[in-house]
Amino acid sequence: MSDMRDKLIVGLDLPTLTEAEKAVRELGDTVSFYKIGYQLAFAGGLDFARELAEDGKKIFLDMKLLDIDNTVAKGVENIVKMGMTMLTLHAYPKAMRAAVEAAKGSNLCLLAVTVLTSMNEQDVIDAGYEYDPHTLVLRRAEQALTAGMGGIVCSAEEASAVRKIVGPAMAVVTPGIRPVGSDRGDQKRVVTPADAIRNGSSHLVVARPIVAASNRKAAAEAILAEMRSA
């Protein structure tokens, strides 16, 4: 079970530091890896991320960076100093290359966000892309591999195909994980924890099914057990 703790990333998608701190206390040693995204980051979450890292937790900083090369590079340089484990960027080749160069020599795993799991084919068309989500994910996975990124963020629906492209070494991080019977929320391409592992995911990002549960620790333990069964 301990190795699965390194594969389960709990999203602290909560509005305040007080609530995030409470969730971490309740989860205790059951969880070793946390995601901090926009919602918490803009409520003091960046300092909290540093504190968690200093306490021995792994932190996935979900910032989805995209800007001119110099701005991306300077941001990555400072994030390296924070002691984070993972950082997301949108999978644009120039931004990825700049980030890889800035993170060189560090332990920061840079993740390329391919297509958001809240998007379906019509959403991708509306955004101006000529590819369907599956094709776009695979194209961006190839570009991330070429750029030297540490991993890919995609739906677990595409994890198997992505794994064939990037090989065994790169991380394949899959959000949009929903245990059987849970609410999809705003996610459109979702997969169960067991199927995500079977499909080749190296890390599963789970937020609402755990942080919105009445018993967060029990919810996390159930997901870990399902992951282990796969």
Side-chain angles (χ1 to χ4, degrees):
M1 187 69 78
S2 60
D3 60 334
M4 284 300 158
R5 287 176 66 243
D6 293 331
K7 295 176 179 290
L8 174 63
I9 304 174
V10 174
L12 292 175
D13 296 343
L14 295 163
T16 68
L17 274 181
T18 300
E19 292 179 71
E21 289 166 350
K22 183 174 184 287
V24 171
R25 284 196 306 272
E26 290 177 359
L27 290 165
D29 293 335
T30 302
V31 173
S32 63
F33 213 147
Y34 288 100
K35 175 182 80 75
I36 291 179
Y38 292 155
Q39 184 180 22
L40 192 60
F42 298 137
L46 296 181
D47 287 335
F48 187 47
R50 290 188 184 92
E51 292 170 11
L52 288 174
E54 289 169 359
D55 287 341
K57 300 293 187 183
K58 295 180 180 180
I59 303 299
F60 168 14
L61 197 60
D62 191 18
M63 293 290 99
K64 298 183 181 72
L65 300 183
L66 180 61
D67 212 307
I68 63 172
D69 296 0
N70 183 66
T71 300
V72 168
K74 296 305 181 185
V76 170
E77 287 173 5
N78 278 339
I79 290 168
V80 165
K81 298 172 186 175
M82 292 173 63
M84 302 294 96
T85 303
M86 290 178 166
L87 169 69
T88 52
L89 298 87
H90 280 292
Y92 285 62
K94 279 171 61 62
M96 290 191 291
R97 290 193 296 269
V100 167
E101 183 63 28
K104 189 175 293 184
S106 75
N107 293 321
L108 180 63
C109 179
L110 297 172
L111 301 174
V113 176
T114 53
V115 177
L116 301 178
T117 52
S118 61
M119 298 179 72
N120 59 20
E121 184 166 2
Q122 187 58 52
D123 296 320
V124 172
I125 292 170
D126 291 344
Y129 293 102
E130 61 179 300
Y131 305 103
D132 62 88
H134 184 80
T135 303
L136 184 56
V137 167
L138 300 189
R139 176 177 173 81
R140 287 180 162 174
E142 290 172 351
Q143 292 171 329
L145 177 65
T146 300
M149 295 286 282
I152 305 295
V153 180
C154 64
S155 166
E157 289 182 355
E158 292 112 19
S160 179
V162 166
R163 181 61 73 194
K164 291 176 183 176
I165 291 171
V166 303
M170 286 179 71
V172 176
V173 180
T174 53
I177 303 298
R178 292 289 185 271
V180 175
S182 64
D183 183 11
R184 285 183 170 227
D186 59 356
Q187 301 285 11
K188 295 178 179 176
R189 289 160 33 246
V190 300
V191 171
T192 67
D195 284 342
I197 293 293
R198 293 188 190 103
N199 288 353
S201 300
S202 63
H203 298 79
L204 278 56
V205 181
V206 184
R208 278 166 283 188
I210 292 177
V211 298
S214 57
N215 187 329
R216 289 165 168 158
K217 187 171 184 177
E221 288 172 344
I223 289 172
L224 285 166
E226 185 176 346
M227 291 167 65
R228 192 180 188 195
S229 74

